[in-house]
Amino acid sequence: MLDSFLIGLAVLALLSIVFEEVIHINKAKTTLFFGCMSWLILFMSAATGEEQKLIHHQLDENLLEIATLWLFLMSTMTFVAYLNAKGMIQSFVQRLFPSQLTMRKLMFLVAIFALVLSAICDNVTATLVSLGLVQSFNLDGKTRLKMAALVVFAVNSGGVALITGDVTTLMIFLAGHVEMSQLLTLVLPSAVSVVVLAIMFCWGMKGEVSTEVVERQFTYVDIAIAVIFFATIICTMLFNVLFGVPPVLTFLSGLSVMFLVGRTVKTDKEQTKILEYIRQIEYDTLLFFLGILLLVGMLKEIGVLASVAQLYADFDPRYSNFVAGAASALLDNVPLTAALLKASPELLTPDWLALTYAVGVGGSLLAIGSAAGIIVMSKIKEMTFVSYLRYTPALLVAYTVGYVWTLLMANALYG
């Protein structure tokens, strides 16, 4: 009875996101409310002191995961807020892209840019920078939404072949089910699926688009902070692989260096108050993450994810993996992957590779299915859960193409 009621709360939270434009209540507020209510009910339903201690321990574990993500997002978004305020991202785009190009060419360039960027840095950073690129062009609302959906899919696809690119890929690798060289098999299917999506989005698209050329003067501090940002991205990958340093610690270290460098300028009041850029962060994004992760954590603790893992084991892995990836659009892919690994299914290498692709990319099918999607919903005002749904059929086709390609390649090489 209790479990059914809690699942009902999670469904209500989902509906509050879907009907945000109808009820006129920000999705961050509703998800945070239902997320907190679900844990309060868990505590109040505990029959003994031991049960309360267990729930407290579970909440602590979930809050630790959420706090880690919060701090990581905060540090990344502060860098991006500074670079945006100074016009450095726009200037970078103007140097990288032509000031005027066709809509179709822009679509493919955005897809490739997001795909490559997410392969060399984390999804959050890749999403924020890619959105900065999209917003630097004069696009109508419909095209901007298409570009944003493409960014979500490309970012989620870019990291699946590298243990530094996606947490679920790292989890499956550390469990000993795939080798580093085998994971590289996923590069081609990921790229093909992104190109397929770009082709579908380009259908019927005509005309040209331009970006305003703005001449800007940058101080040595601006350039130094841009260098610190990209150095932090590189160090995040290197330190994690070589020394096992959590990405959040490296990014916080980079942020601290940013603040110290900002304090070296005495002639510009704005520079000496560089800490103020934290206030430019949209905390709705962070609150939305908090509410969603509290709900997912609750579902994990009441055994919903374990039930999904058990159901997974009852079917052919070729189909189970595909469905598991789609399910990660509703249930966070990290605890879902953890539950599947705990279930210890007996899979061959091609099936493990297919699962790696599925749980890495499947979250793109819904706006709330990945960190990239949640960030896009918070940053692009036209993007809502419902407006994103119109692209789900095309996203499903691209996801299916990538999944089938993965199976074919993996079976040919390792079957």
Side-chain angles (χ1 to χ4, degrees), residues 326-344:
S328 71
L330 278 174
L331 302 170
D332 189 281
N333 62 353
V334 173
L336 178 61
T337 303
L340 293 177
L341 290 173
K342 190 175 180 180
S344 301

Side-chain angles (χ1 to χ4, degrees), residues 213-231:
V213 178
V214 180
E215 294 296 330
R216 295 180 182 271
Q217 296 295 322
F218 302 116
T219 66
Y220 77 88
V221 172
D222 297 334
I223 296 170
I225 288 176
V227 171
I228 291 168
F229 179 48
F230 289 106

Side-chain angles (χ1 to χ4, degrees), residues 232-243:
T232 301
I233 294 172
I234 295 170
C235 289
T236 298
M237 294 186 295
L238 291 177
F239 290 175
N240 184 259
V241 173
L242 297 176
F243 309 112

Side-chain angles (χ1 to χ4, degrees), residues 107 159 218 261:
M107 188 74 74
F218 302 116
V261 168

Side-chain angles (χ1 to χ4, degrees), residues 183-194:
L183 284 173
L184 294 176
T185 306
L186 300 177
V187 171
L188 188 56
S190 298
V192 168
S193 62
V194 170

Side-chain angles (χ1 to χ4, degrees), residues 176-317:
H177 298 300
V178 290
E179 297 176 5
M180 196 84 72
S181 58
Q182 293 170 339
L183 284 173
L184 294 176
T185 306
L186 300 177
V187 171
L188 188 56
S190 298
V192 168
S193 62
V194 170
V195 170
V196 166
L197 183 62
I199 291 173
M200 286 190 288
F201 279 179
C202 282
W203 191 265
M205 189 174 284
K206 297 178 182 179
E208 294 190 340
V209 65
S210 62
T211 181
E212 295 180 8
V213 178
V214 180
E215 294 296 330
R216 295 180 182 271
Q217 296 295 322
F218 302 116
T219 66
Y220 77 88
V221 172
D222 297 334
I223 296 170
I225 288 176
V227 171
I228 291 168
F229 179 48
F230 289 106
T232 301
I233 294 172
I234 295 170
C235 289
T236 298
M237 294 186 295
L238 291 177
F239 290 175
N240 184 259
V241 173
L242 297 176
F243 309 112
V245 178
V248 63
L249 180 59
T250 309
F251 247 98
L252 285 173
S253 300
L255 189 66
S256 67
V257 174
M258 170 187 172
F259 293 149
L260 290 173
V261 168
R263 292 294 298 176
T264 63
V265 179
K266 304 298 182 184
T267 56
D268 187 343
K269 291 182 179 179
E270 183 185 10
Q271 295 294 343
T272 59
K273 294 180 180 178
I274 236 170
L275 189 62
E276 294 293 313
Y277 280 95
I278 282 188
R279 294 184 182 178
Q280 294 188 21
I281 294 173
E282 295 179 18
Y283 277 92
D284 275 356
T285 304
L286 299 178
L287 292 175
F288 190 30
F289 265 110
L290 176 56
I292 287 287
L293 293 178
L294 281 172
L295 285 165
V296 171
M298 174 272 294
L299 292 174
K300 175 186 174 184
E301 301 306 341
I302 66 174
V304 170
L305 297 184
S307 300
V308 172
Q310 187 58 49
L311 185 64
Y312 165 91
D314 294 338
F315 295 92
D316 187 319

